[in-house]
Amino acid sequence: MWIMINRVLIRLKIVQIVYAYYQNGGKNLDTAEKELFFSLSKAYDLYNYLLLLMVEITRQAERKLNAAKSKLLPTAEELYPNMKFVSNRFIAQLEVNAQLREFSETQKKTWENESEFVKSLCEKIMASDIYKEYMENESPSSYEEDRELWRKIYKRIIFNNPELDQVLEDQSLYWNDDKEIVDTFVLKTIKRFEESNGSKQELLPEFKDEEDQDFARRLFRRTILNADYYRHLISENTRNWDLDRVAFMDVVIMQIALAEILSFPNIPVSVSLNEYVEIAKLYSTPKSGSFINGTLDGIVNALKKDNKLIKD
């Protein structure tokens, strides 16, 4: 089952919140935990907001056609335009989606205040080969073709878009690091839409179940509450280094990794190691990945040798 907030995103958020917790003087654990769950909910807001963007682009394309019709001397093409793009059945289904409408109404989130950006993005899409190829095919498109058009547009034009990144950053600081991972969930959502589900097509749920919420809460709290023990393990295995000389972000990442390795017996050590090495590549120095991998590997081997860790 696909879900929006998965453990990859939870780990990323915990790294951000734990780092901020220490930077702010490590004062209030409950406040930091609330911040963690607020931050995760903002990632889910971004997911819904990006789905709404596709609807808004289509509305903009329709406004453009209507404006051309209203010109003083419209051409025949402007009077009788090709409506294929604005009549896209996947977008029509997305526009009436019950969950998306509820999000828009309760969160009061629309793209209306970003009209210049939406216009510019719409122009970019209409100038693309993906759009031209779709419009030049005179036969009526199937629902699958309509959906595939938007999967391609999203992947090639919206997925890696610096202008969109800037718009989102201006709206919420929480979204700086979320866009890339949330994009993958939007693409999954497009792929799983079925015409037969109509307005009741399910979007990805925020959490799979309470287990993932519990994972987030426990991992965060264990990281902070057992910090002294984890840092002791790190310093024992970095004897050639003064712990103060290790990049603070590296210490935070290793601390969280150890909390996961020692608190969740069902997660294989290799999975935890891989996840945090990848996070180190994102958030720390170029050499951090191999340093963290080597240090954690040494700690795990020492713990196994002393029978303090019994898992693969």
Side-chain angles (χ1 to χ4, degrees):
M1 178 190 177
W2 279 331
I3 62 236
M4 167 52 219
I5 292 175
N6 65 3
R7 293 195 174 185
V8 174
L9 187 58
I10 289 169
R11 289 181 181 103
L12 279 173
K13 289 291 181 188
I14 289 176
V15 167
Q16 292 167 17
I17 299 294
V18 170
Y19 184 82
Y21 172 80
Y22 286 122
Q23 294 297 96
N24 295 333
K27 290 190 181 96
N28 195 317
L29 191 62
D30 291 338
T31 304
E33 188 184 279
K34 280 179 189 155
E35 180 73 6
L36 168 64
F37 282 99
F38 180 73
S39 180
L40 286 166
S41 76
K42 291 299 285 182
Y44 193 60
D45 287 352
L46 178 59
Y47 164 71
N48 283 276
Y49 195 45
L50 289 170
L51 290 172
L52 283 173
L53 177 59
M54 293 185 279
V55 174
E56 192 56 37
I57 290 164
T58 307
R59 287 176 183 158
Q60 171 55 31
E62 191 166 13
R63 285 192 287 270
K64 190 177 175 184
L65 293 184
N66 290 335
K69 271 187 200 176
S70 305
K71 277 164 63 175
L72 194 59
L73 292 168
T75 63
E77 193 182 336
E78 287 169 336
L79 271 177
Y80 305 103
N82 183 342
M83 302 292 285
K84 194 173 180 182
F85 183 71
V86 299
S87 302
N88 184 287
R89 282 186 282 170
F90 163 71
I91 293 294
Q93 184 186 6
L94 188 61
E95 188 170 16
V96 297
N97 182 272
Q99 286 173 255
L100 198 56
R101 290 181 88 156
E102 186 187 355
F103 164 79
S104 185
E105 285 158 19
T106 56
Q107 301 294 322
K108 305 282 184 276
K109 286 299 286 181
T110 72
W111 285 90
E112 283 171 17
N113 293 334
E114 303 295 345
S115 56
E116 287 309 308
F117 167 72
V118 173
K119 272 184 203 168
S120 153
L121 187 55
C122 185
E123 297 287 344
K124 197 171 181 181
I125 288 166
M126 291 171 106
S128 70
D129 291 342
I130 305 164
Y131 175 87
K132 288 173 185 168
E133 196 179 303
Y134 173 78
M135 296 299 275
E136 281 164 10
N137 186 343
E138 290 176 16
S139 58
S141 54
S142 65
Y143 174 83
E144 287 70 27
E145 286 167 331
D146 282 359
R147 186 183 59 199
E148 178 60 13
L149 169 78
W150 272 100
R151 191 191 69 78
K152 284 181 183 171
I153 288 172
Y154 199 95
K155 193 169 185 182
R156 295 191 206 164
I157 301 171
I158 300 174
F159 196 108
N160 207 341
N161 187 308
E163 290 86 8
L164 176 54
D165 291 347
Q166 189 58 56
V167 166
L168 295 173
E169 190 176 325
D170 291 344
Q171 287 194 31
S172 172
L173 291 172
Y174 288 95
W175 290 344
N176 285 6
D177 300 303
D178 294 347
K179 168 92 175 16
E180 201 171 317
I181 195 163
V182 173
D183 277 334
T184 63
F185 295 124
V186 174
L187 285 167
K188 283 176 181 175
T189 301
I190 295 170
K191 212 170 172 183
R192 72 198 289 263
F193 254 59
E194 295 288 344
E195 189 173 23
S196 57
N197 291 332
S199 65
K200 292 184 171 60
Q201 170 72 50
E202 287 188 6
L203 304 181
L204 302 185
E206 188 169 0
F207 286 96
K208 181 178 69 177
D209 49 33
E210 283 184 17
E211 193 181 317
D212 272 357
Q213 280 174 286
D214 184 53
F215 170 77
R217 188 173 286 108
R218 278 176 65 207
L219 180 57
F220 173 71
R221 286 195 162 258
R222 294 281 174 94
T223 296
I224 303 292
L225 295 172
N226 297 332
D228 289 347
Y229 175 54
Y230 302 143
R231 290 192 184 186
H232 166 73
L233 292 175
I234 295 164
S235 63
E236 286 284 294
N237 279 269
T238 50
R239 282 183 184 159
N240 298 335
W241 291 73
D242 178 351
L243 199 55
D244 292 338
R245 284 181 57 221
V246 176
F248 182 60
M249 180 56 90
D250 290 1
V251 174
V252 166
I253 292 169
M254 289 189 281
Q255 194 175 315
I256 300 165
L258 288 169
E260 181 172 316
I261 288 164
L262 292 165
S263 305
F264 296 91
N266 295 334
I267 302 175
V269 171
S270 59
V271 169
S272 300
L273 287 178
N274 289 340
E275 290 289 343
Y276 291 100
V277 166
E278 287 306 308
I279 289 172
K281 289 176 190 171
L282 273 178
Y283 286 116
S284 207
T285 67
K287 293 178 180 175
S288 291
S290 55
F291 173 69
I292 286 173
N293 191 41
T295 306
L296 290 175
D297 205 40
I299 294 169
V300 165
N301 289 335
L303 289 170
K304 283 182 176 176
K305 196 175 168 187
D306 294 341
N307 289 323
K308 290 177 181 171
L309 179 66
I310 304 164
K311 71 170 181 176
D312 294 328

